[in-house]
Amino acid sequence: MIDQVLKRIDSRCAQSLDELNGLLRIASVSTKPEHKQDMVACARALAGTLTSAGLVATVEETGGGKGHPLVLARSPH
């Protein structure tokens, strides 16, 4: 079983790095108000990645919409 998991990880290495680099390119600087929409975009992208991995992921508002978005992910199991 572990051999299958390791082979799967190895086979997806380049794709996983591309996805990670895409997330890192989003200018989601939480201390700068001008990046508020980037924070939302980053949260949505992360939720999408987690959903693709089989989790149930949502983006939640904080502070009545004035705070930073929160990504909540749960395993369906």
Side-chain angles (χ1 to χ4, degrees):
M1 175 88 165
I2 191 70
D3 289 334
Q4 291 174 334
V5 171
L6 294 174
K7 284 179 184 177
R8 174 82 170 145
I9 291 170
D10 287 342
S11 72
R12 289 184 36 84
C13 185
Q15 181 182 352
S16 295
L17 287 174
D18 286 343
E19 289 174 7
L20 177 59
N21 283 326
L23 285 172
L24 294 174
R25 283 188 200 97
I26 300 172
S28 55
V29 181
S30 65
T31 58
K32 295 187 177 183
E34 63 267 25
H35 288 291
K36 180 178 174 79
Q37 290 306 311
D38 295 322
M39 292 287 296
V40 173
C42 187
R44 288 180 180 157
L46 179 58
T49 298
L50 294 169
T51 299
S52 295
L55 299 173
V56 177
T58 59
V59 177
E60 305 293 333
E61 288 185 354
T62 63
K66 295 180 181 177
H68 300 307
L70 173 107
V71 179
L72 179 63
R74 294 188 172 131
S75 171
H77 303 289

